[in-house]
Amino acid sequence: MSALGATLLAPPATAAPEKPEKAETPATASMTVTQEDIAASATLTRSEVLTRARSWVDPNVKYSQLKSYTNQYGTYRTDCSGFVSMAWGLSRSETTRTLHNFGTWLNSLDELKPGDAINDVENHVVLFVSWTDSSHTVANVYESTSYGGIEGPDPGTIASRYTRSKLVNGGYRGLRAHNVIDDAPQAPAGVRSIVTASGGSQIFGIGADGHVMSTFWSPNITDNGGWHAWFAIPTGYADGTTAPNSTVSVTTINGQTQLFTTAPDRHVISTFWSPSIPTNGGWHDWFVIPTGHADGVTAPGSVVTAGGTQLFTTAADGHVMSTFWSPSIPTNGGWHEWFAIPTGYANGKTAPNSTVSVTTINGQAQLFTTAPDRRVISTFWSSSIPTNGGWHEWFAIPTGHADGITAPNATITAGGTQLFTTGADGHVMSTFWSPTITTNGGWHAWFAIPTGYADGTTAPNSRISVTTLNGQTQLFTTAPDGQVISTFWSSSIPTNGGWREWFAIPTGYANGKSATGSGVSVTTLNGQVQLFTAAPDGQVISTFWSSSIPTNGGWHSWFAIPTGHSNGHVRI
């Protein structure tokens, strides 16, 4: 289902009131709007506006110009413009006469998009959801409304329909909020073309046919640049094929390399390599890890994150869930039943296409993901926490750049005590934890890392990789034009918080540009930092840094790693 799915675009056909309310002018509603008021508005996508609106529609919040309603999105006046103010993420309840300060009037009702308002400044405002037909004759809307009087009688906050003639004759005009942005295009099947670097000489990807495939580098291989021909890892559950947008995670358990991904039915599946397995190149048949929460079935587009012997992912119901392996568990192949990690911010639920990142802070395993409102949220495990399986309640990490709100489909990369992600405006942003920071739970305010190539903005659905090169923290991501770009931190850089201007790593295959949805993976091979991504044609490509390369900033020209399964092309 798309971000603007059927559950939001097909409200029930409730008749609109015959007598719209008058424009509300309660004493609590200031008629003066400042630039500070406008700047305080949260950046939201259209689907998020409709999700916020449903938080009043579903419980049928009753209408009153004299009362307010509080939920996870704040406290707003319970009338038509208070409802739209809440849905738009404004800092307070505006009126039908002041809402236009926060948006732009549309030239035609035909320009309406989900989440826009339709406003009659002297009477009433509704939130546009969709047209019921291609001729745009009837509009699905959400509204807070009354049949008459400042406190009803009323149908409250409802989904209803307005005919075009009613809108035109009533003097309604389309209004688009400045702070509401279009949803990022949802990745079609297979577009998350991530090449996973295991930290050594072996890399993994999803082939064009959906199979997990792999290659490795060896000094004993005399052709193809030392890279083995790509090979599939099939057999077993689903024959080792994967769900759309799956990636491959790698860890070591019992001294064996073990892989995790999601099958077409969205179950988590796994395999491991052992020299004692005489078939399938030493790889065990793929097997499922079921039982427990959601029976181990993941949300669409989810990623399995491996942290040692413990796995984290997003369940079909949106909760973060986990399992772990122990030799003392006699059933389910040694895997514990999947369990949810709920409570706290958003009850531990995640935004669509979220990933779960894990790191260690203060000796404790700590998780990071994005909530439905796209805030970065976190939890940690401690043996001193007697409830929730030892997991702390989820908490948000706000303040600073974009108030800690991420771009749609953003991934959070944890590098020690520092986090990197993409802000709602597309900039790479970061925060870090320090015991010397006395506010915000020890987390620094989020800050952008701009300047240089593309001003440090990223392509939709990109992710950020982090490594250490020459003793310096270095980041890699993809710019809006697909170019792989990088920056690094140095105490000798006096500006931009110590971060170098972003620079491109071009030349060679595809001039160093990557496919839509590709990430940049990083590993160390032969003592050199090496990058992998997928070119626009799906070919896996690579480059490495060497102090002996005098051009291109020390980076080798990008080169393809072809031959074998899918000829080294990943699913795009």
Side-chain angles (χ1 to χ4, degrees):
M1 183 179 295
S2 69
L4 302 179
T7 55
L8 292 179
L9 293 184
T14 303
E18 292 299 321
K19 291 179 63 179
E21 64 196 77
K22 293 297 180 183
E24 58 283 58
T25 54
T28 56
S30 170
M31 301 302 290
T32 301
V33 176
T34 67
Q35 287 300 313
E36 288 75 16
D37 295 328
I38 297 173
S41 305
T43 300
L44 301 171
T45 63
R46 299 191 176 281
S47 59
E48 289 171 328
V49 170
L50 298 186
T51 296
R52 292 169 70 103
R54 291 296 308 210
S55 73
W56 279 30
V57 172
D58 290 343
N60 186 221
V61 173
K62 295 304 180 184
Y63 179 93
S64 173
Q65 294 183 19
L66 305 179
K67 296 177 182 177
S68 297
Y69 179 74
T70 301
N71 66 5
Q72 69 269 36
Y73 300 120
T75 300
Y76 293 86
R77 194 177 59 250
T78 52
D79 55 21
C80 68
S81 52
F83 167 64
V84 171
S85 299
M86 179 279 300
W88 278 5
L90 305 185
S91 62
R92 65 182 184 188
S93 299
E94 296 296 329
T95 74
T96 53
R97 294 178 182 140
T98 60
L99 278 171
H100 71 275
N101 293 290
F102 297 84
T104 301
W105 292 111
L106 303 180
N107 294 321
S108 168
L109 294 176
D110 294 317
E111 298 178 11
L112 286 166
K113 294 182 179 182
D116 288 340
I118 314 175
N119 191 16
D120 170 8
V121 295
E122 295 301 326
N123 290 291
H124 189 44
V125 63
V126 301
L127 196 70
F128 178 75
V129 179
S130 65
W131 293 105
T132 63
D133 59 353
S134 60
S135 299
H136 297 182
T137 58
V138 179
N140 290 316
V141 302
Y142 294 147
E143 62 177 339
S144 179
T145 189
S146 165
Y147 286 119
I150 63 173
E151 290 199 270
D154 67 85
T157 310
I158 58 172
S160 57
R161 287 176 176 169
Y162 276 56
T163 65
R164 188 185 188 98
S165 60
K166 179 182 178 70
L167 294 172
V168 171
N169 294 336
Y172 286 89
R173 297 176 63 191
L175 181 63
R176 179 161 298 157
H178 294 313
N179 63 304
V180 175
I181 60 176
D182 290 343
D183 289 83
Q186 292 300 295
V191 82
R192 188 185 274 150
S193 44
I194 303 296
V195 181
T196 302
S198 65
S201 60
Q202 191 155 8
I203 59 178
F204 303 89
I206 307 296
D209 60 358
H211 276 100
V212 174
M213 67 177 192
S214 180
T215 184
F216 58 86
W217 184 89
S218 170
N220 299 322
I221 299 174
T222 57
D223 58 356
N224 203 29
W227 289 94
H228 191 281
W230 287 90
F231 55 91
I233 306 176
T235 76
Y237 196 93
D239 196 38
T241 56
T242 59
N245 294 323
S246 293
T247 63
V248 185
S249 296
V250 187
T251 191
T252 301
I253 297 179
N254 280 339
Q256 298 168 322
T257 297
Q258 191 148 355
L259 310 182
F260 304 91
T261 189
T262 50
D265 63 3
R266 303 209 312 272
H267 271 104
V268 175
I269 58 174
S270 180
T271 184
F272 58 85
W273 186 88
S274 171
S276 64
I277 299 175
T279 58
N280 202 29
W283 290 95
H284 191 282
D285 284 357
W286 287 91
F287 57 91
V288 68
I289 305 176
T291 75
H293 189 83
D295 195 35
V297 176
T298 62
S302 61
V303 170
V304 183
T305 302
T309 59
Q310 191 153 3
L311 307 181
F312 305 92
T313 189
T314 306
D317 62 0
H319 276 105
V320 173
M321 66 177 184
S322 179
T323 184
F324 58 86
W325 184 87
S326 171
S328 64
I329 298 176
T331 58
N332 202 30
W335 290 94
H336 191 281
E337 290 188 350
W338 288 93
F339 55 91
I341 305 177
T343 75
Y345 197 94
N347 197 29
K349 287 195 172 184
T350 61
N353 299 319
S354 293
T355 59
V356 183
S357 298
V358 58
T359 191
T360 300
I361 296 179
N362 281 339
Q364 298 168 322
Q366 191 149 355
L367 309 182
F368 306 91
T369 189
T370 49
D373 61 2
R374 299 209 321 271
R375 283 192 183 281
V376 175
I377 59 174
S378 179
T379 184
F380 59 85
W381 187 88
S382 172
S383 57
S384 65
I385 298 175
T387 57
N388 202 32
W391 290 95
H392 191 280
E393 290 189 353
W394 289 90
F395 55 91
I397 304 177
T399 75
H401 188 83
D403 198 30
I405 295 176
T406 62
N409 306 330
T411 297
I412 302 161
T413 302
T417 59
Q418 190 154 5
L419 307 181
F420 304 92
T421 190
T422 307
D425 60 358
H427 277 101
V428 174
M429 66 178 188
S430 179
T431 183
F432 58 86
W433 184 88
S434 171
T436 63
I437 299 174
T438 56
T439 58
N440 204 30
W443 289 95
H444 191 281
W446 288 92
F447 54 92
I449 305 176
T451 75
Y453 197 95
D455 196 37
T457 57
T458 62
N461 305 323
S462 58
R463 69 174 190 171
I464 301 157
S465 294
V466 58
T467 193
T468 301
L469 180 59
N470 291 332
Q472 297 167 324
T473 298
Q474 188 149 356
L475 309 183
F476 305 92
T477 190
T478 48
D481 62 359
Q483 185 74 61
V484 174
I485 59 174
S486 180
T487 184
F488 58 85
W489 186 89
S490 172
S491 58
S492 64
I493 298 175
T495 58
N496 203 30
W499 290 95
R500 191 193 193 276
E501 290 189 353
W502 287 91
F503 57 91
I505 305 176
T507 77
Y509 197 97
N511 198 34
K513 290 195 174 183
S514 60
T516 301
S518 292
V520 183
S521 294
V522 59
T523 191
T524 300
L525 183 60
N526 286 333
Q528 297 169 322
V529 170
Q530 189 148 356
L531 309 183
F532 304 91
T533 190
D537 62 0
Q539 180 72 62
V540 174
I541 59 175
S542 180
T543 184
F544 59 85
W545 186 88
S546 172
S547 58
S548 64
I549 298 175
T551 58
N552 204 31
W555 290 95
H556 191 281
S557 293
W558 288 90
F559 56 91
I561 306 177
T563 76
H565 191 83
S566 293
N567 197 31
H569 285 68
V570 295
R571 183 173 58 187
I572 60 172

